[in-house]
């Protein structure tokens, strides 16, 4: 063994050609590429001597980069040995090892010790011994670990790799689970697939198993004959793991899905459901990604019996067999940076289908479409809305269809009297199949000016003018007379002016930063012709912190608050490291003595309004508490109390929601009934990946709050309890749920669900 040179630092050999391997040993002696070699020696070696001809021959194509601490050449065996932090690179492929031996006669390269091989696709192979071809392609391997670019892992005792990059592995194990935990400590995968032989096809990026079994937490569970998956992490066609559920309405349910990857941008999921208490059901979900956007369509269908929805919701009517189903579609297309089209279509065959089959618990579903053009100074929307009632015994013919709804806004770039001007044009057509029809159009101009005084007050001036045209017919079909308006053509003019003054005061307080902002607003408008105009979009009026300082405290456009009023209040905020506490409170005073349009119980019917406010407390991401309230102006009785609180981390937390509306609303205003409700949910994590969870929704409304509700003051609506396991590659659990509301064939009672999901293995 003749040592060519021992370098105190790394020797670097660049661009070793794969043709003419006989020159490899001579290259090792070239000082031109060795660090810490005098420049004069380097220049002489490249221009003259025995290496000159070889250097000239290497000016052509160069394919391998080579780096090592020490390089040795054995003339007897005609081999070159590189030792110590060896790195070989060719294109996108690389090999790192402790030792590499190159046999010049056979062209075989053997790497040994802590090997890391990266192929052209970015997959990594770890082993202790690896045989390479003279094209730097891995051949025979032993005791290896193959880590795919997407994170999946294959371990095997023996493996062979051909020139195309295909690999055959013997006695192999596959898993997508991480082998280290969050602290970097090793852990066993929660599941793996073991097989007598595994084939990896580089061209198709597919892994095929022979003699495969699924192991869960080290226990062999079931065989997986014919298993084939994708190695690149993309979706693959195949069946999912079945789901089992027991419900009061349908009995035992077993469902399974087949996923069909039609193309890179299209897929289809077909699902079959079998029940012991009703007829089978099928569903399909189609998704497509197009050049300008994406859309999906979902459908459910069955032929079975159903019960009509009665006024009480009890299943006391005769059942009938019928086709039942549900269709949902949505999508969005972006034609350019300004123009987009989005929409959602939802339709159910009857009012209880979604609830019975646990697809949705909504009491109404909406279909929408919107074409929007948005640029720096303008906005155009052409939209439509349709609503289908569910779970309620109301006349569908009274439900409005809003089509078209056209809204255009233009902001004038040049200031007017120092302020900004926004122009708006709006038109709406509302149609009912068995009720009042209304058409509306208006034009609006609004001017805003914001100034900061020398003392730091923020003063805002607003002026608004608007002209409305309405047409309505069949007004007598509207049950609430206050909403109907006058039939035929009606016009209305609106003019409003407002001054809003804020004065932020900032200072230190208890080691934090405190901000107190007193605020006062004056709004004035002449008498407005409201009652002659139909009220379609301004019905659910209620004074709260969000609309206390609004220019018009009615929602929508059909009702406009007139007269003169003064609104006053204060905002307070305190910031500590990690903490933020904020609160606001306010009240309004009506300066005019004219009768008001607000219904009793909204907090706005008298000259002094009720007090409204909001308090929010946050501590990092651990605590969030929001409290909204409305207090009666006379006795400070609670008219509205709403609490939303979250305490805990992402894994262990409790959520609390409470709402009480005690407004003494008249019974004929269906949009504003009093309610009291409690919502609780929580999760407790233990043993790293396990957790127990639960939730409950309770109706606390009693007869004093709503005589028509029929609740005794504590009526559970829905409860849930379960246990779950979830790590980076496995999710499974068991859930118990109880529904207390019975509506026709959507029965009340207990439901049980068992679910199991192997992530990244095409299994749900």
């Amino acid at each position: 063994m003749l040592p060519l040179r021992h370098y105190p630092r790394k020797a670097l050999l660049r661009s070793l050609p794969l043709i003419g391997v006989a020159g490899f040993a001579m290259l090792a002696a070239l000082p031109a590429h060795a660090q810490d070699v005098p420049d004069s020696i380097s220049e002489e070696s490249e221009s003259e001597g025995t290496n000159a001809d070889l250097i000239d021959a290497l000016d052509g194509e160069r394919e391998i980069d080579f780096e090592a601490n020490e390089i040795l050449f054995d003339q007897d065996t005609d081999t070159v040995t590189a030792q110590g932090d060896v790195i070989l690179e060719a294109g996108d492929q690389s090999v790192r090892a402790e030792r590499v031996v190159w046999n010049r006669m056979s062209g075989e390269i053997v790497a040994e010790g802590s090997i890391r091989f990266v192929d052209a696709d970015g997959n990594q192979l770890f082993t202790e011994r690896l045989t390479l071809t003279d094209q730097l392609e891995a051949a025979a391997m032993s005791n290896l670990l193959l880590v795919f670019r997407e994170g999946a892992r294959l371990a095997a005792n023996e493996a062979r790799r051909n020139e195309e990059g295909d690999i055959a592995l013997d006695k192999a194990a596959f898993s997508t689970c991480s082998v280290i935990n969050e602290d970097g400590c090793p852990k066993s995968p929660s599941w793996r697939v073991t097989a007598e032989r595994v084939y990896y096809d580089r061209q198709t990026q597919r892994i095929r198993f022979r003699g495969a079994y699924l192991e869960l937490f080290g226990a062999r569970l079931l065989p997986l004959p014919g298993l084939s998956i994708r190695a690149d992490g993309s979706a693959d066609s195949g069946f999912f793991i079945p789901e089992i559920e027991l419900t009061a309405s349908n009995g035992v349910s077993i469902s399974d899905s087949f996923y069909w990857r039609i193309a890179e941008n299209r897929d289809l999921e077909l699902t079959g459901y079998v029940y012991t208490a009703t007829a089978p059901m099928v569903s399909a979900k189609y998704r497509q990604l197009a050049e300008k956007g994406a859309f999906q369509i979902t459908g459910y269908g069955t032929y079975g019996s159903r019960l009509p929805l009665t006024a009480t919701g009890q299943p006391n009517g005769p059942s009938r067999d019928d086709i039942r189903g549900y269709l949902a579609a949505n999508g969005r297309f972006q034609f350019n940076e300004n123009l987009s089209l989005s929409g959602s279509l939802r339709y159910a065959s009857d009012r209880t289908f979604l609830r019975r089959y646990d697809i949705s618990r909504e009491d109404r579903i909406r279909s929408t479409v919107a074409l929007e053009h948005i640029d720096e100074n303008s906005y155009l929307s052409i939209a439509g809305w349709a609503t289908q009632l569910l779970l309620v015994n109301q006349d569908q013919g009274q439900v409005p269809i809003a089509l078209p709804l056209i809204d255009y806004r233009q902001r004038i770039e040049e200031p007017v009297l120092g302020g900004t001007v926004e122009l708006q044009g709006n038109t709406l057509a509302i149609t009912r199949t068995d009720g009042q029809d209304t058409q509306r159009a208006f034009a609006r101009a609004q001017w805003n000016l914001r100034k900061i005084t020398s003392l730091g007050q923020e003063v805002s001036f607003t002026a608004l003018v608007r002209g409305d045209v309405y047409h309505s017919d069949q007004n007598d079909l509207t049950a609430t007379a206050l909403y109907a308006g006058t039939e035929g053509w009606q016009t209305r003019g609106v003019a409003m002016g407002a001054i809003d003054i804020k004065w932020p005061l900032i200072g230190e307080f208890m080691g934090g930063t405190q901000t107190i902002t007193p605020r006062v607003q004056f709004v004035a408008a002449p008498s407005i012709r409201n009652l002659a105009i139909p009220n379609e979009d301004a019905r659910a009026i209620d004074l709260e912190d969000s609309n206390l300082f609004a220019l018009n405290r009615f929602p929508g456009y059909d009702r406009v608050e007139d007269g003169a009023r003064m609104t006053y209040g204060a905002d307070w905020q305190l910031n500590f490291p990690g903490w933020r506490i904020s609160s606001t409170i306010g009240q309004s005073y009506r300066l005019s003595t004219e009768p008001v349009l607000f219904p009793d119980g909204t907090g706005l019917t008298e000259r002094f309004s009720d007090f409204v406010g909001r308090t929010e407390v946050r501590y990092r991401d651990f605590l969030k508490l929001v409290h909204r309230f409305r207090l009666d102006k006379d006795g400070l009785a609670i008219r509205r109390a709403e609490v939303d609180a979250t305490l805990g981390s992402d894994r262990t937390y409790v959520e609390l929601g409470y709402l009480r509306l005690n407004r003494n609303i008249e019974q004929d205003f269906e949009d504003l009934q009093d309610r009291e409700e409690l919502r609780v949910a929580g999760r407790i994590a233990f043993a790293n990946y396990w957790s127990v969870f639960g939730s409950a929704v309770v109706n606390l409304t009693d007869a004093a709050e709503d005589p028509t509700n029929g609740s005794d003051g504590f009526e559970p609506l829905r409860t849930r309890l379960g246990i779950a396991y979830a790590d980076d590659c496995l999710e499974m659990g068991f859930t118990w749920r109880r529904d207390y509301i019975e509506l026709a064939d959507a029965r009340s009672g207990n439901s049980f669900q068992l679910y199991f999901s192997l992530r990244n293995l095409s299994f749900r």
Side-chain angles (χ1 to χ4, degrees), residues 621-624 645-649 652-656:
D621 292 329
F622 183 76
L623 169 65
K624 181 179 180 180
T646 302
L647 177 67
S649 63
T652 299
Y653 60 86
V654 61
E655 295 178 347
L656 174 67

Side-chain angles (χ1 to χ4, degrees), residues 580 582 614-619 623-627 642-647 656:
R580 186 180 69 187
S582 60
R614 169 192 174 109
T615 300
E616 181 174 346
V617 180
R618 298 198 66 166
Y619 175 68
L623 169 65
K624 181 179 180 180
L625 172 66
V626 179
H627 176 223
E642 186 174 359
V643 177
D644 289 293
T646 302
L647 177 67
L656 174 67

Side-chain angles (χ1 to χ4, degrees), residues 10 66-72 80-88 95-101 109-117 127-130 132:
K10 282 190 176 180
F66 190 97
E67 184 177 328
N69 285 340
E70 182 180 44
I71 300 174
L72 306 173
V80 177
T81 302
Q83 298 181 156
D85 296 333
V86 184
I87 301 176
L88 284 77
V95 178
R96 293 174 180 264
E98 296 177 359
R99 184 171 181 265
V100 173
V101 179
I109 305 172
V110 177
E112 298 175 338
S114 303
I115 299 168
R116 176 179 178 266
F117 172 77
T127 184
E128 288 299 317
R129 179 179 173 82
L130 173 65
L132 302 164

